[in-house]
Amino acid sequence: VDRVAPRPLLNVQAAVVHGQRAHHLGHVARRAAALAAAQLLRQQSARVAFRARSRPLDALLGVLLPKGKRVVLFSGWTSMLDIIEQFLDERGIAYARLDGSTNRVQRTVDINAFNMPGSSRFVFLMSTRAGGLGINCQTADTCILFDSDWNPQNDVQAMARCHRIGQTKAVHVYK
């Protein structure tokens, strides 16, 4: 009898452990679903916020681009840059993009392509916080701060990227 008693106890312990494990896995699945839903909600709310501001941006670009203006558009949110990227694609506007995920070589290629005389890239999308050495958009004559950063110094630094050595035109800033 002493030998039989521990076996059912082990089975009960194993069942409790498996039950907790199943409960834990269920919790992990629910948490992953909740995170996915939250991310989708953030994307949808960003799209709604963009729709409200896309008309003025569309009108502004409609005036600037036919005049040959070169635009650097800053946003503090890379998800908003994704949406603006889709917006520009829908309108067939050539652009370059720089954010924290852009490697150094691609950054140099994009900046040189944007600054090249006669370049077909009229818009440069840039994260407000994408920084570092060598960001010089001296051919840009228009700076659009799509959404201001909580730190005003970041906006000042963003505007300064258009006011660099070699700039020959007046730079207009839109917020």
Side-chain angles (χ1 to χ4, degrees):
V1 175
D2 289 336
R3 289 186 187 177
V4 177
R7 265 197 169 353
L9 183 59
L10 289 177
N11 289 339
V12 170
Q13 287 176 343
V16 169
V17 169
H18 288 298
Q20 287 175 347
R21 186 172 187 198
H23 175 72
H24 177 69
L25 291 177
H27 175 72
V28 169
R30 285 192 304 275
R31 179 76 175 143
L35 289 174
Q39 182 178 6
L40 181 63
L41 183 62
R42 277 194 302 272
Q43 289 172 348
Q44 288 173 344
S45 64
R47 288 182 197 288
V48 169
F50 178 73
R51 269 190 237 130
R53 293 188 284 177
S54 66
R55 286 191 182 131
L57 178 63
D58 198 17
L60 185 60
L61 290 178
V63 170
L64 296 174
L65 297 183
K67 294 180 180 178
K69 301 291 185 182
R70 316 276 289 174
V71 176
V72 180
L73 192 148
F74 291 97
S75 176
W77 307 97
T78 56
S79 59
M80 186 59 76
L81 288 178
D82 294 339
I83 296 169
I84 295 170
E85 207 169 7
Q86 291 174 354
F87 171 81
L88 295 175
D89 283 336
E90 289 171 2
R91 283 151 181 77
I93 299 171
Y95 62 90
R97 177 178 171 157
L98 178 93
D99 61 25
S101 66
T102 308
N103 67 40
R104 184 177 293 171
V105 173
Q106 187 63 45
R107 176 179 66 184
T108 303
V109 168
D110 286 342
I111 290 172
N112 290 340
F114 180 78
N115 287 328
M116 186 174 54
S119 174
S120 64
R121 295 182 183 182
F122 292 104
V123 178
F124 202 112
L125 300 177
M126 199 176 297
S127 170
T128 308
R129 293 174 177 241
L133 301 172
I135 298 179
N136 186 347
C137 298
Q138 75 230 21
T139 60
D141 53 9
T142 305
C143 174
I144 299 175
L145 296 170
F146 195 76
D147 43 27
S148 295
D149 196 88
W150 61 271
N151 181 354
Q153 192 60 35
N154 288 341
D155 289 344
V156 171
Q157 184 181 11
M159 288 184 282
R161 293 194 179 116
C162 299
H163 295 90
R164 297 288 185 173
I165 296 171
Q167 177 59 271
T168 58
K169 303 174 189 173
V171 176
H172 300 280
V173 178
Y174 298 93
K175 282 189 172 186

